[in-house]
Amino acid sequence: MNKKVEESCKLKKLAALCLMAWGIAAPAHSAVVISQVYGGGGNSGATLKNDFIELFNAGDKPEVIDGWSVQYASATGGTWQKTPINGVLLAGQYYLIQQAAGTGPGANLPTPEVIGTLAMSGSAGKVALVKNNSLLSCGTACSSFADVVDFVGFGTASNAETAPTAPLANATAALRKNDGCTDSNNNSADFTVTTPTPRNTATLLKVCEGGTTPTPTPTPTPTPTPTPTPTPTPTPTPTPTPTPTPTPTPTPTPTPSAQRIHDIQGRAHRTAMENSAVINVPGIVTLVRSNGFYIQDTQPDNDPLTSEGIFVFVGSAPSVVVGDSVLVSGAVNEFRPGAASGTNNLSTTQIKMAVGGVSKVSSGNALPEAVILAANVPNQRMWQGNVSDVELATQLDLANGLDFYESLEGMRVQIDGAIATGPTNRGEVFVVANYGRDASGRTPRGGVVVTETDFNPERIKLVPGAVPAVKVPVVNVGDWFSKAVGVVDYNFANYTVVLSELADVVDSKLQPEVTTKQAADELAVASFNVENLDAKEGDAKFARLATQIVQNLQSPDILGLMEIQDNNGATSDGTVDPSQTLGKLTTAIKNAGGPAYQYRQIDPVDGQDGGEPGGNIRQVFLFNPARVSFIDRTGGTSTKAVDVVTCTELACLTASPGRILPLDPAFSSSRKPLVGEFSFNGQKLFVIANHFNSKGGDQPLSGRFQPADRTSEVQRNKQAQIVADFVSRINVLDRNANVLVLGDINDYQFSTSVAKLKAVGLVDLVENLPENERYTYVFEGNSQVLDHIFASPALAARTTYDVVHVNSEFADQASDHEPEVARIKLPLSWFDISERFVQQKSGLVYSAASKTFNGSLTLAAQSVVSGAVRVQIKDLPAGVSLVGAEDGVLTANITAGAPNVLSLKFNNSARVAIRFNAQILANKDFK
């Protein structure tokens, strides 16, 4: 028997419960006992693979068992072995300690709290619960040793509390009676030998008195009734007659409880009652889940900081239904989604229900009125306070989005005009209330944009989860529901509404965008993350991407593609070649009516560039050779760094294509920048395609720590600096160089990494758009910029930029990113080469038939001149025009050394003398 418990646990508990009813503190006591012992694991005839020892907290408060141990000795031996244990054991909670496995078959234990290596006898032995980690030195007589908290001798054990239990067998264990509550200081009487039933901390809590709450008698110092079982129904007490005595008489109630839900929830993120037992907490069941249910108090305290709702964790299908009025008993705890891996998540306060810890008062009750979410939701400030850990704040601030939703945790809410700010993802969708009227930064297509000072705390996620489930249909951005009702919860780093009611969706008819076709003298350059594209993808994805490139992007002249994988994608077998992947894509583009694109790329070293394991993602240039030329310079490899050197064109790459500092630690497990030289209309451009380090590992936006720590920025900032330095080297050699830096930068337009690129003179073209149109990606209902095209200043001044929304706003996507297009006005450069020609003008003769004055111009070129030229007829008198030549321009194809005769016809209604000059222009100077 536990040496700290010298009286009946049941009577002690009754006293404690009565004291709780009057709000008087009950005396604390420790009651951790050994509740089960099994040593036949893995032996012949065993049903379980491992031996185990089980503990149980039979008391009324949590017990800290840090630094304790369970120890074992043979039936007659005095040499002890130990397994250290740690933790906090809630009142009514079990604790499973797995021990050694036998050689035979058997089922696995439930997940144990601790794993030890003690090989216990299957029939007889001694087990001690010790309040330290020192091996017992008491030999064969340890049951009364000062450090022993509890002791069990089984079978023919030489020592026990009073007498040992009956012998065990390979298929039986010693179980403390009444689910662990019986403790009379006699192992023989307190334990029964039966089938092993291992229980762990996830098992429903067991309240030793069965959850029955005694009715307090109306005296100032209540005394528990000494009967073995308290009367479950209180005896009505007449209303006391007022007397002069100053001592108040407590009014008896059929549902005594020291706490209501708002007392448990408190005015902060975490409850002050964590690990406390609560008895008969009243509430109406508002929503049932597969493992528990929500209740809400119908008598609120009018404090806006305290929630009136809470989740009751059962661990299995609950027996209650919506509308039941119930009394709940159990232990208060904070549940953190994700457990050990969810430390960045906020916790939610819940009641872990005791065995038999719910009683129904009535059924069919009206539900508490739902809180309407509208302008009351903060629409700019996610969280602001004087601590970085939100849960350490002593009080909620309803101007913070996270605190506002915390104040409604577990409560019914209603959203009228719930408009989707992101597409459905795995049956869930983010929305804003009131048709978005109260949201900030609305996009023209229905979303909400991220800015440097606003990450849109007004968003909330609609999720299924009720039993029976209310499912979210497939929706796109801008679709809406006239009404959504449910209970506020928190999971996967976001506040959610677990739906109990959802109106039919209204389709906003969102359509994919189509950009403007580039003009003949415009170079169209696109950036497009095609999301893990490999040759094993079905034809449908290639066809969709091809359609987007040809129709929506209007066949850009150059495309920088991200996430092109090798031929077999996620298969990790050393393959790095992407020729089949790119072959399928370029063929699909031709089949969709697009140009015959060519490509340039460099294979990465297998497994060194991050992304999907085995995929070997990389950037690739596609270009239309009918419109643009790629300037090939040999020497580029996966590991050799490209450089910039002087040349007759001022600045040239040492390799085109080439990779920028591929061995630098900044690009470890990340994509290396790809750079190439292009020529369009006689002008050269440097294009750098990038895919910077992802945001993986950053703290969540709506998480526990604020502001969220974006640790991934460290590597991105280093990558951005390297690319910026490379652009600077180009500019040193050619200050007028045409430079484009594009790709999936994986960062916002106001980020440090983007600032580093802008610091070398590059212009972030997305900033040319109105602020509410700046987004290339939608994540968790937030429209944001991840993809960028930067241009050198001269190019930016001649550029029209467009994000083409075809993917991220739609539930059905070809990629999770939007493509972007820059159309750059780059007309041909014309040189005046008139001095390299001998010109001879004929006389003009009037033709009555055509009513024109006709003649000719003969051009005799020097030997170095050949090819196409433009002949500009200039300085004509007023009223005279050249027939058949727009703006007076004729074209001629010059053969070196041979004269070229151009026919001329003039309209001359004024009948004046016709005089003119001819200017001859070419795309090169022929020096």
Side-chain angles (χ1 to χ4, degrees):
M1 177 179 176
N2 186 322
K3 296 303 180 292
K4 296 182 180 178
V5 183
E6 302 295 341
E7 58 185 4
S8 166
C9 177
K10 180 174 290 186
L11 292 178
K12 188 89 172 185
K13 190 69 174 181
L14 289 175
L17 292 173
C18 290
L19 292 170
M20 284 183 84
W22 280 284
I24 302 172
H29 65 272
S30 172
V32 180
V33 295
I34 299 168
S35 54
Q36 194 169 175
V37 176
Y38 175 65
N43 295 346
S44 176
T47 56
L48 296 170
K49 184 183 298 183
N50 290 79
D51 301 342
F52 68 87
I53 300 167
E54 178 191 281
L55 307 181
F56 174 66
N57 183 0
D60 59 0
K61 69 180 184 64
E63 293 290 345
V64 178
I65 58 174
D66 288 345
W68 290 20
S69 61
V70 290
Q71 301 194 22
Y72 169 78
S74 65
T76 60
T79 301
W80 292 84
Q81 302 169 275
K82 68 176 181 178
T83 299
I85 60 175
N86 290 284
V88 176
L89 206 55
L90 301 178
Q93 192 171 42
Y94 298 93
Y95 187 96
L96 185 61
I97 307 160
Q98 178 177 296
Q99 299 294 359
T103 58
N108 292 325
L109 298 178
T111 303
E113 278 62 58
V114 174
I115 296 177
T117 58
L118 303 180
M120 299 162 56
S121 168
S123 58
K126 301 184 288 287
V127 175
L129 174 61
V130 184
K131 63 182 179 182
N132 56 48
N133 263 318
S134 300
L135 287 173
L136 291 174
S137 59
C138 44
T140 59
C142 291
S143 62
S144 59
F145 191 67
D147 290 339
V148 173
V149 179
D150 197 24
F151 193 94
V152 175
F154 58 100
T156 59
S158 60
N159 190 211
E161 287 187 351
T162 305
T165 75
L168 309 186
N170 292 341
T172 59
L175 277 77
R176 189 177 290 275
K177 295 178 181 177
N178 194 16
D179 292 324
C181 292
T182 300
D183 191 359
S184 66
N185 201 26
N186 186 335
N187 294 159
S188 178
D190 293 343
F191 283 83
T192 184
V193 176
T194 185
T195 303
T197 309
R199 295 161 290 196
N200 60 11
T201 54
T203 304
L204 287 179
L205 302 179
K206 165 66 179 177
V207 178
C208 282
E209 72 291 336
T212 304
T213 303
T215 301
T217 56
T219 61
T221 55
T223 302
T225 305
T227 54
T229 306
T231 304
T233 304
T235 303
T237 303
T239 303
T241 303
T243 65
T245 176
T247 305
T249 300
T251 303
T253 171
T255 58
S257 174
Q259 295 87 22
R260 304 188 78 89
I261 293 172
H262 47 252
D263 299 321
I264 298 170
Q265 286 280 14
R267 310 180 86 232
H269 275 268
R270 293 183 71 93
T271 177
M273 296 178 60
E274 189 170 2
N275 296 327
S276 298
V278 289
I279 307 297
N280 288 350
V281 178
I284 301 293
V285 177
T286 58
L287 189 143
V288 175
R289 304 196 75 161
S290 62
N291 63 347
F293 56 94
Y294 298 88
I295 58 173
Q296 187 166 331
D297 201 333
T298 57
Q299 299 180 28
D301 62 358
N302 296 318
D303 184 346
L305 300 186
T306 60
S307 170
E308 302 294 341
I310 199 166
F311 181 68
V312 180
F313 176 77
V314 179
S316 58
S319 59
V320 300
V321 297
V322 172
D324 284 351
S325 175
V326 296
L327 302 173
V328 173
S329 300
V332 176
N333 71 348
E334 290 286 338
F335 171 74
R336 193 177 304 284
S341 62
T343 55
N344 289 325
N345 288 325
L346 289 166
S347 64
T348 55
T349 306
Q350 64 178 19
I351 299 174
K352 188 172 184 180
M353 195 181 80
V355 176
V358 61
S359 58
K360 185 186 300 184
V361 177
S362 61
S363 300
N365 296 281
L367 301 186
E369 185 177 354
V371 175
I372 304 296
L373 301 184
N376 52 343
V377 184
N379 66 359
Q380 186 170 17
R381 200 168 87 186
M382 188 67 68
W383 197 82
Q384 182 176 305
N386 57 8
V387 291
S388 60
D389 184 344
V390 170
E391 294 179 356
L392 296 180
T394 57
Q395 181 173 301
L396 302 179
D397 179 352
L398 298 186
N400 293 330
L402 296 183
D403 289 355
F404 175 83
Y405 284 127
E406 170 66 21
S407 74
L408 299 174
E409 180 184 278
M411 292 181 63
R412 297 184 75 235
V413 296
Q414 178 173 321
I415 306 173
D416 295 329
I419 187 167
T421 62
T424 42
N425 182 19
R426 300 177 182 176
E428 302 172 342
V429 64
F430 280 87
V431 300
V432 291
N434 197 21
Y435 303 94
R437 295 187 185 107
D438 306 306
S440 58
R442 293 291 309 284
T443 74
R445 294 167 63 83
V448 287
V449 294
V450 165
T451 68
E452 188 170 9
T453 58
D454 186 359
F455 284 84
N456 303 307
E458 64 269 37
R459 297 166 301 114
I460 194 163
K461 184 164 61 171
L462 305 183
V463 302
V467 177
V470 175
K471 295 184 177 180
V472 177
V474 174
V475 302
N476 300 323
V477 168
D479 294 350
W480 53 276
F481 308 93
S482 62
K483 182 180 180 181
V485 181
V487 173
V488 174
D489 202 348
Y490 182 93
N491 210 342
F492 294 105
N494 281 288
Y495 278 100
T496 66
V497 173
V498 184
L499 291 167
S500 59
E501 179 184 345
L502 186 64
D504 291 339
V505 64
V506 178
D507 188 352
S508 66
K509 308 297 183 184
L510 189 72
Q511 296 297 314
E513 291 184 334
V514 176
T515 196
T516 302
K517 178 70 176 176
Q518 68 268 31
D521 60 353
E522 287 182 324
L523 175 68
V525 181
S527 174
F528 195 0
N529 183 324
V530 292
E531 194 181 8
N532 291 327
L533 185 67
D534 70 85
K536 296 195 298 184
E537 289 276 4
D539 292 341
K541 178 168 182 177
F542 283 95
R544 288 193 65 186
L545 289 171
T547 297
Q548 289 181 351
I549 290 170
V550 174
Q551 296 184 8
N552 301 91
L553 302 186
Q554 295 289 298
S555 299
D557 302 307
I558 301 171
L559 289 102
L561 301 180
M562 291 84 235
E563 294 196 15
I564 292 291
Q565 295 194 344
D566 59 36
N567 292 334
N568 59 17
T571 301
S572 185
D573 61 0
T575 300
V576 293
D577 174 36
S579 58
Q580 295 174 19
T581 303
L582 290 167
K584 285 187 70 172
L585 179 60
T586 53
T587 298
I589 291 172
K590 286 185 66 177
N591 292 340
Y597 283 111
Q598 295 180 9
Y599 65 84
R600 297 291 188 273
Q601 63 93 41
I602 295 176
D603 292 339
V605 177
D606 184 38
Q608 297 299 303
D609 281 20
E612 186 178 36
N616 290 309
I617 59 174
R618 83 289 306 270
Q619 297 87 267
V620 172
F621 291 124
L622 291 190
F623 63 96
N624 178 4
R627 292 260 303 160
V628 66
S629 300
F630 188 87
I631 301 173
D632 288 292
R633 301 186 194 278
T634 61
T637 71
S638 58
T639 59
K640 184 177 181 180
V642 66
D643 202 354
V644 188
V645 294
T646 57
C647 60
T648 56
E649 305 157 46
L650 298 183
C652 294
L653 300 176
T654 57
S656 176
R659 301 179 100 196
I660 299 174
L661 290 185
L663 300 182
D664 192 281
F667 296 107
S668 176
S669 298
S670 186
R671 283 68 56 188
K672 286 65 175 173
L674 183 72
V675 59
E677 294 179 46
F678 293 85
S679 177
F680 176 78
N681 272 355
Q683 300 199 46
K684 188 171 79 171
L685 296 93
F686 296 91
V687 183
I688 305 173
N690 304 274
H691 187 182
F692 284 0
N693 182 48
S694 78
K695 289 183 174 290
D698 288 357
Q699 290 177 344
L701 188 61
S702 300
R704 171 183 173 187
F705 300 102
Q706 295 292 329
D709 188 8
R710 298 194 286 263
T711 56
S712 65
E713 287 184 344
V714 174
Q715 185 174 2
R716 270 197 306 282
N717 291 343
K718 293 177 181 178
Q719 294 173 340
Q721 189 61 60
I722 288 172
V723 173
D725 290 344
F726 192 86
V727 172
S728 292
R729 291 203 297 276
I730 295 174
N731 291 337
V732 166
L733 297 180
D734 183 0
R735 64 180 183 178
N736 296 316
N738 295 320
V739 180
L740 293 174
V741 175
L742 56 80
D744 182 357
I745 302 302
N746 261 320
D747 225 334
Y748 309 119
Q749 67 272 29
F750 45 82
S751 65
T752 302
S753 58
V754 167
K756 289 180 179 296
L757 293 167
K758 292 166 64 176
V760 295
L762 294 172
V763 177
D764 190 4
L765 297 179
V766 74
E767 294 182 320
N768 292 345
L769 299 177
E771 189 171 59
N772 67 339
E773 295 181 25
R774 298 175 189 174
Y775 63 100
T776 67
Y777 193 80
V778 179
F779 180 68
E780 293 185 343
N782 260 337
S783 298
Q784 55 199 270
V785 177
L786 292 185
D787 309 86
H788 299 255
I789 298 179
F790 301 88
S792 50
L795 287 183
R798 293 180 282 174
T799 297
T800 303
Y801 171 83
D802 189 15
V803 178
V804 188
H805 298 292
V806 292
N807 285 316
S808 67
E809 297 174 316
F810 298 89
D812 185 15
Q813 303 174 345
S815 169
D816 52 348
H817 287 252
E818 303 291 24
E820 47 184 343
V821 180
R823 292 184 298 275
I824 310 167
K825 192 79 169 179
L826 287 176
L828 284 168
S829 297
W830 296 101
F831 297 91
D832 188 344
I833 58 172
S834 304
E835 63 182 15
R836 302 189 181 281
F837 284 82
V838 174
Q839 302 182 25
Q840 184 176 351
K841 303 173 185 176
S842 72
L844 299 177
V845 178
Y846 179 74
S847 169
S850 62
K851 298 181 180 180
T852 59
F853 291 84
N854 303 334
S856 65
L857 173 64
T858 302
L859 303 176
Q862 295 178 359
S863 60
V864 295
V865 178
S866 63
V869 297
R870 296 177 59 173
V871 180
Q872 176 79 56
I873 304 300
K874 303 169 59 179
D875 304 326
L876 287 169
V880 178
S881 62
L882 183 64
V883 177
E886 185 176 355
D887 297 326
V889 175
L890 300 172
T891 59
N893 193 34
I894 303 299
T895 301
N900 191 292
V901 179
L902 300 178
S903 296
L904 304 178
K905 291 184 178 182
F906 297 96
N907 285 321
N908 186 7
S909 57
R911 294 295 193 272
V912 296
I914 299 177
R915 298 181 179 86
F916 65 89
N917 293 309
Q919 183 182 30
I920 305 170
L921 304 171
N923 292 131
K924 56 186 301 186
D925 202 3
F926 293 105
K927 289 182 179 178

